[in-house]
Amino acid sequence: MKEINIFDKPRNVKILLTLLFGGCLALLIVNFFAPKHSHFPWEEWSGFYAAYGFVACVTLVLAAKHILRRIVKRSEDYYD
């Protein structure tokens, strides 16, 4: 018998995505009205932490792909 997962029903996925996007929208709206206590002026820019996190994530992926891969990768017959 096939086990049924909660995400197998398209209705449940639609509800989950609606809640996710609604939460993101609510946080974006709150970001404009919440007071910011920053140490540096650029931290007060709206969306600074989102942009910083995105750039950091892309940098980590590219570093892992182009730099670390050359260090860690082994030849095909390494274990022979």
Side-chain angles (χ1 to χ4, degrees):
M1 179 175 253
K2 184 180 175 187
E3 184 178 333
I4 296 176
N5 193 348
I6 191 170
F7 298 116
D8 288 339
K9 296 181 181 178
R11 181 175 179 268
N12 292 341
V13 174
K14 187 175 182 180
I15 290 171
L16 183 69
L17 287 175
T18 302
L19 289 172
L20 174 70
F21 291 137
C24 289
L25 183 64
L27 287 173
L28 181 68
I29 292 169
V30 168
N31 185 32
F32 288 110
F33 299 109
K36 296 174 180 69
H37 306 285
S38 61
H39 296 286
F40 302 104
W42 55 84
E43 290 178 338
E44 293 182 8
W45 299 345
S46 183
F48 168 75
Y49 288 109
Y52 180 77
F54 178 76
V55 170
C57 181
V58 169
T59 303
L60 284 173
V61 169
L62 292 177
K65 184 175 181 180
H66 295 291
I67 299 170
L68 297 175
R69 186 175 188 180
R70 293 179 184 164
I71 297 170
V72 177
K73 188 176 177 181
R74 301 288 180 228
S75 63
E76 235 178 88
D77 58 346
Y78 179 74
Y79 290 107
D80 291 337

